[in-house]
Amino acid sequence: MGGPVVLISSSIVQPGNSDQSGQTKIHLTPFDLSLLQIDCPQRGLLFPKPDQDFKLISRLKSSLSTALEIYFPFAGRLAKVENLEDNTVSFHTDCDGSGARFLHAEAKSLSVSDIVQPHGEVPDFIKHFFPADGLKNSDGLTEPLLAVQVTEMKDGVFLGYYYNHMVADGVSVWNFLHTWSMICSSGSSSGHQPLVLKRWFLQGVNYPIHIPVSEAERPPPQPSRELSSVPVMQDRVFHFTKKNISDLKAKANSEVGSSDTNISSLQAVSAHMWRSIIRHSALTGEGETHCKVVVDLRQRVNPPLENDCFGNMVYITPATTTVEELLGRGLVGLLCK
Ligand SMILES: *[C@@H]1O[C@H](CO)[C@@H](O)[C@H](O)[C@H]1NC(C)=O
Ligand SMILES: *[C@@H]1O[C@H](CO)[C@@H](O)[C@H](O)[C@H]1NC(C)=O
């Protein structure tokens, strides 16, 4: 933490009733393990400041404890097992109720308007609103699998969080946040269903999966942005209006010109972003460019999984083309490749 953000307290929140789960070990799938060395995802939510008598911090903490009774994997840690017989290692989630981290911070000199700037500029201090300082998923062996940082500002509250991607994906985290929010506003967890775990392995895959020791080792730290030889990128927020999105979608679909394919809004906006970024970069001609898309596999595996099943069920798939091809065709040229 730093700049205008001051840490008030840091604590560990444990599930209220940690033996409710009856499940102590969750084996990780190849999808999970492929994320071992990537950064923990971080997100943030911005709220108006509640009344003084709402007792925000103590309410958030006690409701988090209740939410973790249901979402017990977030309160665990990763565990590594050494397989001496073939000199490999295996990982699982140990649902041991160790708890999630809760940070309370204050940024009394900052307002919501300092964060949400008119032309999408991203202020430098924003990094202090998030709890994961360069954490990789593999750090879940010792670090909490979920951490939240609640920063109180002049006129708002920012809730920054990270989660360990080997344990959950965006769909699961969003369900968790929704449940936590309901418990926080109602003060009770009644009516919430127990968690549906994914329990999914390809037929014929023996688990726990054995991976080479070298893949389980944390890569050496990258030089920080300031010291790196790669030009420093500037963060920017882009805002698409509803009309922008429907225009892009209509444009892409008119380029297809056939009713056999429907281009979705997400596809049209992603293609537009990819082309715009490359058009404004210094890349040219035969240079390769990649666009990585995160795919939710719940409905794509056989048999399909329930939409709200908990776990990590995403796969990162790259699309690759040359700059020439990317810029030389319309929106759809890419999508149909
Ligand atoms: C989105 O809409 C605004 C306002 O109408 C316009 O200026 C802008 O060019 C549009 N952007 C795209 C990508 O269509
Ligand atoms: C595309 O969308 C239209 C309108 O929603 C629908 O009638 C049509 O069946 C869709 N086509 C395909 C191939 O999904």
Side-chain angles (χ1 to χ4, degrees):
M1 233 153 281
V5 184
V6 179
L7 179 66
I8 305 295
S9 69
S10 167
S11 54
I12 292 287
V13 174
Q14 291 176 318
N17 172 7
S18 57
D19 56 27
Q20 206 179 44
S21 67
Q23 163 120 10
T24 57
K25 201 188 255 194
I26 300 174
H27 287 291
L28 301 177
T29 64
F31 299 129
D32 306 332
L33 291 165
S34 69
L35 304 173
L36 194 57
Q37 302 304 357
I38 69 163
D39 290 350
C40 290
Q42 301 206 82
R43 304 284 181 265
L45 303 166
L46 186 54
F47 300 96
K49 200 176 178 99
D51 290 345
Q52 197 70 31
D53 56 8
F54 186 76
K55 299 197 172 35
L56 177 72
I57 301 298
S58 61
R59 267 172 94 142
L60 281 174
K61 274 184 163 175
S62 64
S63 52
L64 176 59
S65 172
T66 310
L68 288 173
E69 289 176 17
I70 304 168
Y71 285 82
F72 58 91
F74 279 136
R77 296 289 181 272
L78 293 184
K80 182 165 81 173
V81 176
E82 293 181 9
N83 307 307
L84 296 174
E85 71 280 13
D86 59 1
N87 195 27
T88 60
V89 289
S90 299
F91 287 85
H92 62 264
T93 307
D94 185 3
C95 303
D96 62 358
S98 289
R101 178 160 292 136
F102 188 99
L103 303 169
H104 173 206
E106 272 179 3
K108 286 190 164 153
S109 62
L110 297 177
S111 321
V112 170
S113 59
D114 293 314
I115 297 185
V116 187
Q117 299 200 3
H119 302 292
E121 299 92 337
V122 179
D124 199 43
F125 62 72
I126 199 82
K127 57 178 183 279
H128 302 302
F129 279 64
F130 294 91
D133 202 2
L135 280 188
K136 304 263 182 224
N137 293 315
S138 57
D139 293 324
L141 290 165
T142 52
E143 294 294 323
L145 303 178
L146 172 78
V148 296
Q149 176 182 331
V150 180
T151 305
E152 295 186 279
M153 290 177 291
K154 234 191 268 176
D155 56 351
V157 173
F158 191 91
L159 193 147
Y161 60 91
Y162 82 72
Y163 58 95
N164 193 297
H165 215 324
M166 292 169 71
V167 177
D169 57 16
V171 170
S172 294
V173 167
W174 201 246
N175 288 337
F176 159 75
L177 287 170
H178 188 67
T179 303
W180 179 18
S181 158
M182 303 275 276
I183 295 171
C184 186
S185 45
S186 73
S188 138
S189 68
S190 60
H192 290 287
Q193 300 298 315
L195 213 56
V196 181
L197 294 171
K198 79 180 177 203
R199 301 178 201 285
W200 189 87
F201 277 93
L202 272 177
Q203 226 173 13
V205 171
N206 281 330
Y207 60 87
I209 292 172
H210 290 205
I211 62 172
V213 173
S214 58
E215 293 203 13
E217 275 163 13
R218 203 181 194 283
Q222 299 283 315
S224 73
R225 272 182 168 199
E226 289 74 20
L227 300 176
S228 127
S229 58
V230 180
V232 177
M233 298 283 188
Q234 240 179 1
D235 294 323
R236 197 90 185 176
V237 175
F238 293 97
H239 178 229
F240 289 91
T241 62
K242 208 170 169 179
K243 173 89 168 41
N244 279 153
I245 296 172
S246 60
D247 286 352
L248 281 168
K249 182 173 171 176
K251 182 168 176 236
N253 277 297
S254 73
E255 285 180 26
V256 180
S258 114
S259 59
D260 297 344
T261 317
N262 276 341
I263 308 292
S264 70
S265 307
L266 178 68
Q267 286 172 315
V269 173
S270 308
H272 174 75
M273 288 294 289
W274 189 10
R275 282 163 53 90
S276 306
I277 290 166
I278 298 303
R279 192 178 304 119
H280 295 100
S281 73
L283 300 172
T284 51
E286 294 296 298
E288 272 196 351
T289 164
H290 310 269
C291 176
K292 288 184 179 167
V293 184
V294 179
V295 181
D296 180 0
L297 298 173
R298 286 175 177 74
Q299 294 304 305
R300 291 180 168 85
V301 291
N302 187 8
L305 294 166
E306 284 162 72
N307 269 330
D308 61 354
C309 89
F310 181 88
N312 166 60
M313 217 42 212
V314 297
Y315 193 65
I316 301 175
T317 145
T320 300
T321 184
T322 63
V323 172
E324 207 164 45
E325 249 186 316
L326 182 72
L327 300 182
R329 302 185 185 197
L331 282 173
V332 173
L334 316 164
L335 296 165
C336 300
K337 261 175 82 84

